[in-house]
Structures are given as C-alpha cells and as structure tokens.
Amino acid sequence: MITLKNVSKAFYSASASAVHAVRDVSLSVKQGEIFGVIGRSGAGKSTLIRLINLLTTPDAGEVIVDGRDLTRLDAPQLRAARREIGMIFQHFNLMSSRTVFDNVALPLELIGRPRDEIRAELDKLLALVGLTAEAGRYPQQLSGGQKQRVGIARALASQPKVLLSDEATSALDPETTRSILELLQRINQELGLTIVLITHQMQVVKQICDRVAVMDAGRIVESGDVLSVFRAPQSEVTRTLIGDVISLELPESVRQRVRRRIEDRNGNGHPDHLLHLLFIGDDVDRPLLSEAVKRFGIDFNILHGQIDEVQGQGFASLTLLANGSREALDGALTLLREHNVTVEEINHVL
Ligand SMILES: Nc1ncnc2c1ncn2[C@@H]1O[C@H](COP(=O)(O)OP(=O)(O)OP(=O)(O)O)[C@@H](O)[C@H]1O
Ligand SMILES: [Mg+2]
C-alpha cells in the first residue's frame, strides 16, 4: 500500500549545520495493516510520516502510495491523492470556532459535497467515533479523548485508504490512550483502513501494531512483526524502548542479593546459574519449569519478571537463579529450548 524507497530529507538553516532528519529510508506497509514507527524524540518520525503524504517534499527517493509515486504528481493530482490519506495529530488541530459537526464536515465542504449528503455522512462518522451527542459542541468544551475522536472522524470524512497518526495519543492519559487505540483498531478492522502510526511509546506499539520499524537518528535501525522484535531486539535503542513496557534489565537490588547469596555459599554445593527466559505464545501456559524441576532435579528461584500480552499472545520475561549440576542444568535448558523458550545464561551481569 505504501512503499518508501531510499527516501531522504535534510533541513538547512543559515545559522546551524544541516539536520539530516530522514536518511535513506526504505520501508513497505501492507494493505490493511497497522504499522508503527517508534523512536526517541528527534529521531525523524514526524518528518518521515509527513513524507508519506508529501506535506514534506523528499530530497531524494520515491514515495509510492496505492501504486503511484507521489513525487511525480502535479499539484491537482497530488491534492486528489492526499484525499486518500487521512492524518491525525498529537494536538488534534481542530478549528476552535467550529462545532464538532462543522470540524468533521470541513473536508467534505472543501470538495463541494451538498449539505444533505454531508449530513448523512456525518451521522455515520459521529456514530462511529461515539460523538453523536456532542455534534453541537465546540472543541474547548471537549475532553482530550473527545477532541481526538473529532480528529479521527475528520480524517475519515474523505474516505481515505490510509490513515497517518502522528503521536495521536501522546497528549492523553493512559486510559484515554487505550480507548483511542481501540477505536483505531476497530476502524482498521471494520473499514480495512491501512494505518501508519508514529509514537515514542512502546505501549502503543504493543497494544495495536502488526509490524514496527524502529527509527534512530534518521534511519530505520530494525523492523519486523511486533512479536519478533520483542522476542529478539537487535539494537540498543529497541531494547531500551521495550524496557519501558517489559522489564528486561535486572534491578541493581536483585543483583546485589544474588551476589550475596553466591558469596554466602562460598563454593559449596552446585554453582548458581543466573538465567533469563523469554516465553512467548502458548508456552507461557505450559508447566515447563515444574517439568524441568521434576525431570532434572534443578532448583529454580524466581528473582524478577513480568507476564504480559503482545499482539494478543502471552509474553513472559523471567530472570531466575537455577541450582543443580551442569548436566542437570543442560538437560533443563534443552527442554526449555525445545519448547521455544529463549534462554540465556547471564551470570556475567552480576
Ligand atoms: N521544518 C524543520 N526545519 C528544521 N529542522 C527540522 C524541521 N523539522 C524537523 N527538523 C529537525 O529534524 C529532526 C527530526 O525531527 P522530527 O520532528 O522528525 O523528529 P521526531 O522523531 O518526530 O521527534 P519528536 O518525538 O520529538 O516529535 C530534528 O532534529 C528536528 O529539529
Ligand atoms: Mg514528532
């Protein structure tokens, strides 16, 4: 649905050196998916999303949406192409002098749709976003979540094929964020709309994205389906961002406890092995650890961990201390690995 090929954009100013906001980015978004772009502040996310509807013109590269290279269109063609691409923003960008109804109606007025058609269309749109009762209110009389619902309805008014979302939930509290993300997911499923959303919150990616690209300093440093990226993050930026929602690092207090325990044992008995385990999907529900205990006589002591859901699948990150002979431990590790548990021995972090 959307393909960017080697797209770059730099900003030049007289006083400072050039800022290469987007560097040689290629990516492809499939029809009907929710594609997330995540990165820290200044990574180039907003610039990238504005390149998709050519609000920003690239210095180099191709921007292909629904089969057409937008960089090759003349002004009227580009205006028509942009109607197929809706956009929502962090600060909603509503017109304060217009009611909810008139804000949503604006794109339809601009293309000269008759009033009765607009009314019929608006009835549907306002019902879809749950704002039928607020049609006559003004933006300053709405909550943040309601304002974003207006933004979404307005973006949908021209029946786009693609919806671009630039930090649409960043100004909202966690509960409102969840409800807006649920609305986006419903729109994606019911209308088959392709959604590209950019965010600095892994929580957003975790909740609704099918695939994700991680941006850092203008480049895409890794991308893939969300579960794979969570399972095996390739870059430090990605690890840090995932760490916001699932704790991958062992807290210092836990490390100290383990160090003390190892000192206390002072070489007696079998050595302790610090293990990090990632369970994904159905394996979260299997009694694999108790099976390892029974079969290999290993002792496990859970130190730290979290169980969550990513893309509707169970996802558990556990750090534990295992005690047993080397052979018993190897047997247990093989059992776990045979069931697709990612196991790492991490004594080196102590
Ligand atoms: N119109 C512009 N003129 C000059 N520099 C710009 C312009 N737009 C963006 N930049 C610069 O490009 C870089 C990337 O900015 P961009 O807004 O794309 O980042 P971002 O990932 O969206 O950040 P944030 O999470 O803070 O919104 C920044 O260094 C920014 O200062
Ligand atoms: Mg931005």
Side-chain angles (χ1 to χ4, degrees):
M1 182 49 123
I2 300 168
T3 305
L4 302 187
K5 283 190 194 160
N6 308 105
V7 173
S8 294
K9 177 70 188 181
F11 295 104
Y12 300 91
S13 70
S15 52
S17 55
V19 176
H20 295 273
V22 170
R23 302 169 189 243
D24 197 26
V25 164
S26 298
L27 63 80
S28 160
V29 179
K30 295 178 213 159
Q31 154 81 39
E33 74 175 337
I34 304 185
F35 189 93
V37 178
I38 189 166
R40 298 177 178 133
S41 184
K45 308 180 297 292
S46 292
T47 308
L48 182 73
I49 209 163
R50 291 166 60 86
L51 286 165
I52 296 177
N53 56 7
L54 246 61
L55 281 179
T56 296
T57 316
D59 299 331
E62 294 174 21
V63 178
I64 300 160
V65 179
D66 203 15
R68 279 179 307 179
D69 184 351
L70 301 191
T71 62
R72 292 169 193 269
L73 303 184
D74 61 24
Q77 287 171 326
L78 183 58
R79 267 200 301 280
R82 280 206 188 113
R83 280 202 285 279
E84 315 239 295
I85 311 175
M87 190 161 182
I88 54 176
F89 307 88
Q90 178 173 2
H91 298 296
F92 324 119
N93 297 10
L94 304 181
M95 296 183 74
S96 57
S97 61
R98 284 183 157 238
T99 60
V100 167
F101 185 98
D102 289 337
N103 264 286
V104 179
L106 188 61
L108 298 174
E109 288 171 11
L110 290 176
I111 55 170
R113 291 276 292 274
R115 199 71 192 166
D116 54 336
E117 271 182 38
I118 293 183
R119 182 157 287 284
E121 194 59 40
L122 267 271
D123 282 348
K124 280 189 273 175
L125 281 169
L126 293 177
L128 178 71
V129 300
L131 285 183
T132 304
E134 283 76 18
R137 293 215 213 157
Y138 287 88
Q140 63 269 27
Q141 300 171 310
L142 302 177
S143 70
Q146 288 172 326
K147 284 183 199 163
Q148 195 55 285
R149 285 171 191 272
V150 179
I152 291 170
R154 182 185 55 188
L156 296 180
S158 51
Q159 298 187 315
K161 293 182 177 150
V162 172
L163 180 66
L164 306 178
S165 163
D166 187 345
E167 302 275 8
T169 56
S170 293
L172 306 175
D173 63 62
E175 200 182 319
T176 313
T177 293
R178 250 194 310 281
S179 77
I180 292 293
L181 294 178
E182 276 163 18
L183 175 61
L184 291 179
Q185 202 161 31
R186 194 150 58 79
I187 288 165
N188 165 256
Q189 283 161 5
E190 287 177 12
L191 310 179
L193 205 70
T194 306
I195 299 180
V196 180
L197 64 83
I198 65 170
T199 180
H200 62 276
Q201 296 170 302
M202 200 50 109
Q203 187 62 35
V204 169
V205 171
K206 187 177 79 104
Q207 192 180 332
I208 65 164
C209 292
D210 300 305
R211 289 195 303 144
V212 63
V214 182
M215 240 187 139
D216 187 36
R219 295 185 198 278
I220 299 222
V221 292
E222 70 182 287
S223 64
D225 75 89
V226 173
L227 206 56
S228 309
V229 171
F230 268 71
R231 191 195 297 257
Q234 302 297 309
S235 71
E236 203 42 52
V237 191
T238 315
R239 280 181 159 276
T240 311
L241 290 164
I242 292 175
D244 291 346
V245 287
I246 286 178
S247 67
L248 299 171
E249 297 292 320
L250 203 55
E252 183 52 34
S253 58
V254 178
R255 277 187 245 195
Q256 276 178 15
R257 251 184 20 239
V258 176
R259 280 191 220 113
R260 263 202 308 277
R261 174 180 153 138
I262 291 176
E263 277 164 25
D264 290 348
R265 295 170 73 90
N266 195 18
N268 293 321
H270 293 301
D272 286 316
H273 303 272
L274 190 61
L275 305 178
H276 179 248
L277 275 52
L278 267 186
F279 294 76
I280 292 168
D282 296 342
D283 295 319
V284 170
D285 301 326
R286 296 173 77 117
L288 285 171
L289 286 180
S290 62
E291 200 176 325
V293 170
K294 282 185 221 148
R295 273 177 55 187
F296 301 100
I298 292 271
D299 279 332
F300 287 119
N301 193 349
I302 295 177
L303 301 171
H304 188 64
Q306 197 177 345
I307 300 180
D308 204 332
E309 234 181 42
V310 177
Q311 279 190 305
Q313 299 223 46
F315 187 101
S317 161
L318 287 184
T319 305
L320 42 86
L321 206 56
N323 192 270
S325 70
R326 185 71 235 182
E327 282 155 292
L329 183 76
D330 286 341
L333 296 189
T334 304
L335 171 75
L336 292 167
R337 287 184 177 131
E338 276 170 6
H339 289 89
N340 300 320
V341 180
T342 308
V343 189
E344 263 184 294
E345 291 194 49
I346 55 167
N347 279 58
H348 59 270
V349 307
L350 289 174

